[in-house]
Amino acid sequence: MRANDIDVLKTYFNESKQIVFVSHKNPDGDAVGSSLALSKFYEKLGHQVTVVLPNGIPDFISWMPGAEKVYRYDLQNQQSKRALDKAEVVFLLDFNALHRVGDDMQNGLEAYQGDFIMIDHHQEPDTIAMVTYSDTSICSTCQMVYHYIEALGQLDLIDSEIATCIYTGIMTDTGSFRFASTTSTTHRIIADLIDRGAKNSDIHNSVFGNNSYSRLQLLGKALTNLKVLQDCKTAYITLTHQELLDYNYEKGDTEGVVNYALSLKGIVLAAIFIEDKDQGIIKISFRSKGSFSVNQFARKYFDGGGHDNAAGARSMLTLEETVSKFLHLIPNYKQELLVSYEI
Ligand SMILES: [Mn+2]
């Protein structure tokens, strides 16, 4: 963080403030973890805090401390709007542009007149905040929240609940500390969070040891649908609306499934295409290993973006048309894919 920003923040929060913490639609572990951790931190400093998320927290992270107090903008619309009306400052966590909260809440945030503070690790952040702390090299917004508290000189305020929230976000955004974005600094922070009361084994078990039978059956279906384009080092998975229904799909069930495609030996680009009848779109997740930027690819062709090695996207075409568009594009990138990742 810039020294100047730290001074600004220290002065700004000298007096008690009404603060709202916001993260992106379909919040993941990093989104929920950073919102809950920072809200608890400011609550301890005597501020009035509210967390407002665009929609529901998926089951695998709904156990996180403070999750029960979060307002859902889609369901608790009045409460959420009142909190925004009263807010003097809104933290934007783990997203880079207001449209990432979805249409309804975007309107709410655009109408809001107070200050923004953005903490995020996605590329090309909008310049809408009084303070923007952006660093695309950091694995997770939760790690940035730790650096933020550190910069303010207040690590001692990190109790077991805050430590648990930050740990969970770092763990989920790094694929359990295995993505290239995981550094020695990340591990030092993780060690400190354990010292401050994060129960690492319990957290892993809460996130990964609570699969429903139908979720595993759906994973089985997804793996059956896996296709490989060996000469382009690419693998992809499709799931139709009907298949989701057949396996009693619940929110969060397809989380991480794309990583199975990327785990195939020799594969450097993986994608999953999921038919979302509610939104009338095909939801896409891209993953890559090495230099091939799925952020650029998703931005260019599928109205998406994210990180170089992990990006989300969408398509208004049918599932078949979307996959066929993808299959037409991939051979153009054959050379880049072949040299993307070499051990
Ligand atoms: Mn994140």
Side-chain angles (χ1 to χ4, degrees):
M1 285 190 73
R2 288 184 294 255
N4 182 40
D5 285 341
I6 297 162
D7 293 340
V8 168
L9 290 164
K10 279 183 179 163
T11 314
Y12 188 80
F13 288 106
N14 252 339
E15 56 195 58
S16 177
K17 287 252 182 343
Q18 299 273 354
I19 316 175
V20 168
F21 300 83
V22 167
S23 193
H24 57 78
K25 195 171 174 184
N26 302 323
D28 56 11
D30 194 29
V32 178
S34 55
S35 305
L36 293 178
L38 208 56
S39 67
K40 279 175 191 295
F41 170 75
Y42 274 111
E43 191 172 35
K44 287 179 95 168
L45 284 169
H47 301 277
Q48 302 296 313
V49 304
T50 312
V51 178
V52 180
L53 297 174
N55 57 351
I57 298 175
D59 273 353
F60 74 98
I61 42 171
S62 62
W63 54 269
M64 288 172 75
E68 69 287 348
K69 283 191 275 179
V70 171
Y71 285 148
R72 285 180 59 163
Y73 197 89
D74 59 346
L75 293 187
Q76 289 137 310
N77 194 261
Q78 294 306 320
Q79 295 97 315
S80 303
K81 282 184 173 162
R82 264 201 299 277
L84 279 175
D85 279 346
K86 282 199 297 181
E88 297 165 89
V89 55
V90 172
F91 275 86
L92 309 172
L93 298 163
D94 198 38
F95 67 105
N96 56 354
L98 288 186
H99 69 86
R100 297 276 286 110
V101 299
D103 291 347
D104 280 359
M105 191 163 164
Q106 183 180 353
N107 291 335
L109 286 177
E110 278 170 355
Y112 161 77
Q113 298 291 322
D115 298 319
F116 287 121
I117 297 174
M118 180 184 278
I119 304 179
D120 181 45
H121 65 137
H122 295 88
Q123 313 205 4
E124 299 176 39
D126 277 359
T127 48
I128 48 173
M130 170 182 77
V131 171
T132 301
Y133 173 28
S134 161
D135 191 335
T136 59
S137 73
I138 297 183
C139 65
S140 57
T141 300
C142 274
Q143 180 170 326
M144 298 176 73
V145 165
Y146 182 95
H147 291 309
Y148 178 96
I149 295 173
E150 188 178 32
L152 294 173
Q154 286 174 309
L155 284 180
D156 285 347
L157 283 183
I158 297 184
D159 57 19
S160 65
E161 291 196 339
I162 296 175
T164 299
C165 294
I166 297 178
Y167 186 106
T168 306
I170 296 179
M171 180 188 83
T172 51
D173 252 29
T174 57
S176 299
F177 318 114
R178 80 192 136 98
F179 297 157
S181 55
T182 313
T183 62
S184 59
T185 302
T186 309
H187 283 287
R188 280 188 198 94
I189 290 170
I190 286 298
D192 187 46
L193 294 171
I194 293 173
D195 287 343
R196 292 180 192 277
K199 296 199 162 42
N200 51 316
S201 174
D202 291 353
I203 294 171
H204 282 260
N205 197 43
S206 299
V207 171
F208 299 113
N210 275 317
N211 282 317
S212 64
Y213 181 76
S214 59
R215 183 183 185 202
L216 291 187
Q217 296 290 105
L218 178 63
L219 172 61
K221 183 67 200 171
L223 296 180
T224 306
N225 293 351
L226 174 67
K227 300 262 190 319
V228 178
L229 309 166
Q230 202 70 54
D231 59 338
C232 291
K233 297 193 168 190
T234 296
Y236 68 95
I237 291 169
T238 54
L239 283 170
T240 65
H241 178 67
Q242 188 57 47
E243 286 167 340
L244 298 180
L245 289 181
D246 290 347
Y247 294 94
N248 302 316
Y249 168 79
E250 284 182 41
K251 217 164 186 39
D253 278 356
T254 55
E255 189 80 29
V257 172
V258 66
N259 295 322
Y260 285 91
L262 193 66
S263 75
L264 258 177
K265 189 173 181 182
I267 293 302
V268 300
L269 172 62
I272 187 167
F273 301 92
I274 301 171
E275 192 174 23
D276 184 335
K277 275 262 158 78
D278 293 341
Q279 293 192 72
I281 59 165
I282 307 302
K283 275 185 64 180
I284 312 171
S285 292
F286 293 112
R287 296 290 183 274
S288 69
K289 279 188 196 161
S291 58
F292 185 81
S293 171
V294 287
N295 173 52
Q296 284 173 25
F297 186 77
R299 270 176 197 268
K300 192 159 180 193
Y301 301 109
F302 292 101
D303 186 24
H307 310 286
D308 282 338
N309 295 122
R314 49 162 57 207
S315 159
M316 306 298 280
L317 305 170
T318 66
L319 181 60
E320 266 174 42
E321 289 164 350
T322 305
V323 170
S324 130
K325 177 176 171 183
F326 176 70
L327 294 178
H328 273 97
L329 289 167
I330 287 307
N332 302 335
Y333 291 92
K334 186 172 175 177
Q335 282 319 310
E336 281 181 49
L337 290 165
L338 288 181
V339 300
S340 178
Y341 185 80
E342 285 159 284
I343 302 174

